[in-house]
Amino acid sequence: MSDAFLKADVRPNADSKQSNVQHGPWRDAARSFAKNKTALVGLCLVIFFVLLALVAPLIAPFDYKAQVLSDRLKPPSGEHWFGTDDLGRDIFSRVIYGARISLWVGLLSVVGSIVIGTLLGIIAGFYGKWVDMLISRVFDILLAFPGILLAIAIVAILGPSLQNALYAIAIVNVPTYGRLVRSRVLSLRQEEFITAARALGANDGRILFKHILPNSLTPIIVQGTLGVATAIIEAAGLGFLGLGAQPPDPEWGKMLSDSRQFIQTAPWTVIFPGLCILLTSLGFNLMGDGLRDTFDPKMKGR
């Protein structure tokens, strides 16, 4: 009898330990993400450039706008780590300030695309009929043009500036998130929990933002992370064409455009801005792939 009592006494403790191990889906996703070494490399790259942008005024050795013509096109040295450009400006200082511009444009344009695209996608997928047809046709029109060409056209109409480049990139990427959310809503609105919510008297607004939107966040987060890399490259492309940031702003694409004639005589003027574009976009792509592998049930079993 005492042995039975001891066994009965031990089992609840084991169950309690097992219950302590159980976690929510977001914590399980974080644990799965942490096991993906490639995704962690991407996360480290993103964190590095974000910190670089935040502390730029503290670590920049020179004013990024200061022109010293006697120091023009100097190679990398102890004084100028990344060398100088054709106007004698310190490239290291301009590169770390350029991280602020590129990340700002990339993040804000993606946030704008997600907000507008998600709203339109939810409305189209939930209400259907002529509303869905109208919004879908707008998406089709925007997708009929190559993204960079449409962005160039928008900036050409609005005028060359960093702000207008941000607007153009956001508009170009709206259909991507809109169609993604629309397809998600079309599958979710047939689920039993949506029918139950209607039966309990929930209105459309509550169903959309309390039930459908939270269940659509996973693909939005993954696509948004990948979209930042695309937005940074598009911003660099517009800057290279002179349609983005204007002098003296140290935008990486603009720095490449200003230095392309010195590729052979002063290659450092091109290498470092180009390397920053490469590493930043690579970081967001690796992190986005890791998030996709984490949230996609098909990838978990592999």
Side-chain angles (χ1 to χ4, degrees):
M1 183 174 182
S2 60
D3 292 337
F5 177 78
L6 289 174
K7 291 180 180 179
D9 187 51
V10 170
R11 287 175 184 172
N13 292 332
D15 293 340
S16 63
K17 289 181 180 179
Q18 186 176 2
S19 63
N20 290 334
V21 176
Q22 295 177 354
H23 299 295
W26 289 103
R27 183 167 295 184
D28 292 339
R31 183 174 298 179
S32 176
F33 182 85
K35 295 179 181 179
N36 191 328
K37 295 182 179 179
T38 304
L40 290 179
V41 172
L43 179 62
C44 290
L45 285 172
V46 171
I47 292 175
F48 171 76
F49 280 100
V50 169
L51 292 177
L52 194 69
L54 292 175
V55 301
L58 301 177
I59 64 176
F62 299 93
D63 182 1
Y64 70 87
K65 295 181 292 185
Q67 301 180 13
V68 183
L69 296 180
S70 59
D71 291 339
R72 64 187 305 271
L73 298 179
K74 280 192 173 183
S77 61
E79 182 180 6
H80 300 283
W81 293 355
F82 289 178
T84 60
D85 61 10
D86 58 316
L87 297 177
R89 297 172 296 191
D90 183 66
I91 294 178
F92 178 73
S93 300
R94 292 180 62 78
V95 161
I96 59 178
Y97 271 98
R100 285 186 158 191
I101 296 177
S102 294
L103 290 175
W104 179 73
V105 172
L107 292 173
L108 285 187
S109 62
V110 167
V111 169
S113 299
I114 289 176
V115 171
I116 300 174
T118 299
L119 182 61
L120 293 176
I122 284 180
I123 294 174
F126 189 77
Y127 292 104
K129 299 182 180 178
W130 67 269
V131 177
D132 183 17
M133 184 183 66
L134 178 62
I135 295 176
S136 297
R137 294 297 79 78
V138 173
F139 290 163
D140 292 340
I141 292 172
L142 292 176
L143 290 172
F145 302 94
I148 189 64
L149 293 181
L150 182 58
I152 291 172
I154 294 173
V155 175
I157 294 172
L158 299 178
S161 72
L162 184 63
Q163 186 176 5
N164 292 338
L166 191 154
Y167 294 153
I169 295 171
I171 293 172
V172 165
N173 291 301
V174 163
T176 301
Y177 301 97
R179 297 183 70 178
L180 179 67
V181 174
R182 174 184 174 274
S183 63
R184 183 67 175 166
V185 173
L186 287 174
S187 62
L188 286 174
R189 72 178 185 178
Q190 306 297 333
E191 296 291 336
E192 294 180 357
F193 69 93
I194 299 297
T195 305
R198 286 187 181 278
L200 292 173
N203 57 29
D204 290 350
R206 182 175 179 83
I207 292 175
L208 286 173
F209 296 102
K210 186 72 175 179
H211 300 287
I212 291 181
L213 182 59
N215 286 283
S216 304
L217 288 178
T218 297
I220 294 175
I221 293 173
V222 174
Q223 184 60 43
T225 306
L226 295 170
V228 174
T230 303
I232 289 174
I233 295 175
E234 290 174 345
L238 292 175
F240 186 85
L241 296 174
L243 299 175
Q246 300 299 307
D249 291 339
E251 197 273 326
W252 292 335
K254 181 62 176 174
M255 293 175 66
L256 287 176
S257 177
D258 293 340
S259 303
R260 64 183 184 275
Q261 58 182 321
F262 306 109
I263 292 179
Q264 294 183 347
T265 58
W268 58 87
T269 59
V270 177
I271 290 176
F272 293 110
L275 192 61
C276 288
I277 296 173
L278 171 65
L279 292 178
T280 307
S281 58
L282 177 64
F284 279 104
N285 275 321
L286 293 178
M287 191 170 68
D289 288 339
L291 290 173
R292 182 185 58 194
D293 296 347
T294 298
F295 291 124
D296 191 350
K298 296 180 182 178
M299 304 298 293
K300 288 183 179 180
R302 296 183 180 181

